[in-house]
Structure formats: structure tokens, C-alpha cells
Amino acid sequence: MDWSDVILLILVLTILVLYIRLMLKNKRLKQMADEANRLRLEASEAERRNRQLKQEMTSNIAHELKTPVSSIRGYLEILLSDKPVDDERRRYFLDRCFRQTLRLSDLIQDVSIINKLEESADLFPRTEVDATEVAKEAIDDLADKAAAAGITIQNNLPAMPLGGNRELLYCIFRNLVENSIAYAGSNINIVLETYKESPDYYYIHYYDTGKGVADEYLSRLFDRFVRIDEGRSRQNGGTGLGLSIVKHSVLFHGGEIYARNREGGGLEYYFSLKK
């Protein structure tokens, strides 16, 4: 090869290297553009889904408010009408109004808690708290209801100190027990116990010996406004948000929860709380 061939070869190789670098750069730019586009699509989809969930929740809240508000209005219209109402009926109507206002109060409180958990969970303060003491408080508050239904509650939980929020821990135990009292049936047992422990977590087993639920409902048990028995849920004054609050409260404490039908009858929950 003479010098002209060498120069030509170097020139060709230089052009080839520049071309390859340009192609690689374009490929990287295309990959970056594709990734940015994918992230935009995911953000758009997440925003759309969030809007849809808010619309669904708004619709569900309006639906839940309709029944008690209509009932209260109907009873008050009767009481304020010119038609005479005897003392017994007046007492009945006032009692029904009071029950419906309690239902409204519970619904407003539950909606407030779940919205706060989903959108600004950091507003819930964390302190040193013993989860077992909170569980005992929730059980004591429901003792009369449980006794009226012939239900015994065994709290076998050991001391469980952790950094958490007392209000949300109370919601976990109260909603689980209240759900069993309302829907599991009478003359049953409720048991709370730990099934293992690790350096970072407490693992809790909660179960009742009641009726359980149909398997097809288990995957939706923690969804908002899901009612297994619509008529009975309304009769018992449930808001349809209790178990959803339980799940979000467990997640707030760094844990996970799942439910299943118990062998021998009843419903059981397994969940963890971060120490």
C-alpha cells in the first residue's frame, strides 16, 4: 500500500467510526425519548385511574348518603306535618333519625380517614405505642356488643411496642372485631394471636369461628364500599369502608394483610406490623 491508500483507509475508518457513534447516539436518544414517552403514558394512565377512582368514590359516597338523608327527611316531614302523631310513634321516628345520624357520622369519619390515608398519610403522627394495648382498648369498647351476640373474644397478643399511629392501630382492631360481630353470626369465638416474629415485624393472626364468606368475595374484601350482604350491611349500619381502612392502616405501618376462609368455619386474617 502506498501513502494514498493508507490515507484513504484512515479516512474511511474515521467516517465509519463517526457514523457508528452517530447511530449509537441516535439510538440512545430514541431510547430516552421512548422511555420519556412511556413514563408520560404511565403518568397519564395513573392520573386517569386516579380520577376514575375519585369519581367512583364520589358516586359511592353520594349513594351511601342518599338513604340516611332521605330517611331523616321523611321522618322529620311526618313529625312536622299537621297530622297528629302519638308519643309512641314520635319516639320511634326520633329514634330512627338518631340512628341515621349516627350512620352519617360514621360514614363521614371513615371517608375522612381513608382519603387522608390515600392522599396525605404523612399527616398521621407516629409515636411509641403498644399495639396490644390498643387492641385491648378496641375490644373493651365492643364488649357489650359482643356479649349481646354471645361472642367471646380472646386476646392472646403479647406486648407489641412499635412506632406507629394509635388512631390507625385502633381502626385495625376495632374494624376487624366489629366486622365479625356484625356478619360472622352469634355464639362464636374471636381470637387474636401472633403466629411468628422477626427482628423487624410482628405477625398477627386474627380469626372468628363464624360463617366465613363466599370464595369469590375474598379478593374484593378490602375494596371500598364492597358489601357481601347488601341488606344486612345496611341494617347493621356498616359504611362499607371498614376493611379498606384496615388494609390502608396496615400498609401505613409497613405491613401486609390477606384474608381467607378458615378450615372448620369462619374468616381469618394474617397481617404484619413493622416494629
Side-chain angles (χ1 to χ4, degrees), residues 44-57:
S44 177
E45 176 62 21
E47 184 178 354
R48 185 196 67 79
R49 179 61 179 162
N50 191 41
R51 284 199 305 269
Q52 182 181 353
L53 288 173
K54 287 184 177 180
Q55 290 171 355
E56 289 176 357
M57 187 159 185

Side-chain angles (χ1 to χ4, degrees), residues 97-164:
C97 285
F98 178 69
R99 289 176 181 273
Q100 294 297 340
T101 56
L102 290 179
R103 181 178 170 189
L104 283 174
S105 177
D106 290 342
L107 178 61
I108 291 169
Q109 182 179 4
D110 285 354
V111 168
S112 174
I113 290 174
I114 201 165
N115 276 338
K116 193 174 174 182
L117 276 167
E118 290 183 345
E119 297 184 4
S120 51
D122 55 329
L123 294 179
F124 286 97
R126 292 179 183 269
T127 59
E128 288 297 320
V129 59
D130 189 330
T132 302
E133 291 182 1
V134 179
K136 182 179 182 303
E137 179 184 346
I139 292 170
D140 289 344
D141 289 345
L142 295 169
D144 290 341
K145 280 187 177 181
I151 296 173
T152 61
I153 305 176
Q154 301 175 34
N155 182 7
N156 300 327
L157 296 175
M160 295 189 297
L162 52 84

Side-chain angles (χ1 to χ4, degrees), residues 90-227:
R90 181 180 292 106
R91 175 73 181 181
Y92 171 80
F93 291 146
L94 289 174
D95 179 70
R96 299 304 298 176
C97 285
F98 178 69
R99 289 176 181 273
Q100 294 297 340
T101 56
L102 290 179
R103 181 178 170 189
L104 283 174
S105 177
D106 290 342
L107 178 61
I108 291 169
Q109 182 179 4
D110 285 354
V111 168
S112 174
I113 290 174
I114 201 165
N115 276 338
K116 193 174 174 182
L117 276 167
E118 290 183 345
E119 297 184 4
S120 51
D122 55 329
L123 294 179
F124 286 97
R126 292 179 183 269
T127 59
E128 288 297 320
V129 59
D130 189 330
T132 302
E133 291 182 1
V134 179
K136 182 179 182 303
E137 179 184 346
I139 292 170
D140 289 344
D141 289 345
L142 295 169
D144 290 341
K145 280 187 177 181
I151 296 173
T152 61
I153 305 176
Q154 301 175 34
N155 182 7
N156 300 327
L157 296 175
M160 295 189 297
L162 52 84
N165 181 269
R166 188 178 189 86
E167 177 187 1
L168 295 181
L169 288 170
Y170 181 85
C171 285
I172 292 173
F173 295 108
R174 182 182 178 99
N175 283 324
L176 288 177
V177 174
E178 207 162 31
N179 199 66
S180 293
I181 293 173
Y183 309 117
S186 57
N187 302 313
I188 64 168
N189 296 321
I190 295 174
V191 178
L192 293 87
E193 60 189 8
T194 55
Y195 63 98
K196 70 175 182 178
E197 183 177 344
S198 73
D200 298 319
Y201 289 92
Y202 299 108
Y203 295 89
I204 301 167
H205 180 211
Y206 172 99
Y207 70 88
D208 63 55
T209 59
K211 298 184 297 185
V213 300
D215 289 337
E216 60 265 27
Y217 287 110
L218 284 174
S219 61
R220 301 176 55 217
L221 206 57
F222 298 103
D223 291 351
R224 293 173 295 189
F225 297 109
V226 169
R227 286 188 169 93

Side-chain angles (χ1 to χ4, degrees), residues 214-261:
D215 289 337
E216 60 265 27
Y217 287 110
L218 284 174
S219 61
R220 301 176 55 217
L221 206 57
F222 298 103
D223 291 351
R224 293 173 295 189
F225 297 109
V226 169
R227 286 188 169 93
I228 308 304
D229 185 338
E230 185 77 16
R232 192 174 177 204
S233 295
R234 294 190 183 282
Q235 182 180 354
N236 290 327
T239 65
L241 292 171
L243 291 182
S244 184
I245 290 175
V246 168
K247 179 179 179 180
H248 281 80
S249 298
V250 169
L251 293 174
F252 175 88
H253 288 92
E256 296 179 344
I257 185 170
Y258 73 92
R260 69 182 186 185
N261 281 313

Side-chain angles (χ1 to χ4, degrees), residues 4-141:
S4 60
D5 293 331
V6 172
I7 293 173
L8 179 61
L9 179 60
I10 293 173
L11 182 61
V12 170
L13 290 174
T14 301
I15 293 173
L16 181 61
V17 169
L18 291 174
Y19 175 76
I20 292 173
R21 290 184 64 184
L22 180 61
M23 291 296 293
L24 290 174
K25 182 178 180 181
N26 288 338
K27 184 178 181 181
R28 285 197 298 270
L29 289 174
K30 185 177 183 302
Q31 289 174 341
M32 292 173 64
D34 290 343
E35 178 66 13
N37 187 51
R38 184 185 66 81
L39 292 174
R40 280 196 299 270
L41 289 175
E42 288 182 356
S44 177
E45 176 62 21
E47 184 178 354
R48 185 196 67 79
R49 179 61 179 162
N50 191 41
R51 284 199 305 269
Q52 182 181 353
L53 288 173
K54 287 184 177 180
Q55 290 171 355
E56 289 176 357
M57 187 159 185
T58 300
S59 176
N60 286 328
I61 292 171
H63 178 71
E64 294 296 326
L65 288 172
K66 183 178 180 180
T67 300
V69 170
S70 298
S71 297
I72 293 171
R73 178 179 176 179
Y75 293 133
L76 291 178
E77 284 177 350
I78 294 173
L79 291 172
L80 295 173
S81 68
D82 295 332
K83 296 180 180 180
V85 179
D86 59 54
D87 290 342
E88 184 177 351
R89 293 191 69 199
R90 181 180 292 106
R91 175 73 181 181
Y92 171 80
F93 291 146
L94 289 174
D95 179 70
R96 299 304 298 176
C97 285
F98 178 69
R99 289 176 181 273
Q100 294 297 340
T101 56
L102 290 179
R103 181 178 170 189
L104 283 174
S105 177
D106 290 342
L107 178 61
I108 291 169
Q109 182 179 4
D110 285 354
V111 168
S112 174
I113 290 174
I114 201 165
N115 276 338
K116 193 174 174 182
L117 276 167
E118 290 183 345
E119 297 184 4
S120 51
D122 55 329
L123 294 179
F124 286 97
R126 292 179 183 269
T127 59
E128 288 297 320
V129 59
D130 189 330
T132 302
E133 291 182 1
V134 179
K136 182 179 182 303
E137 179 184 346
I139 292 170
D140 289 344
D141 289 345

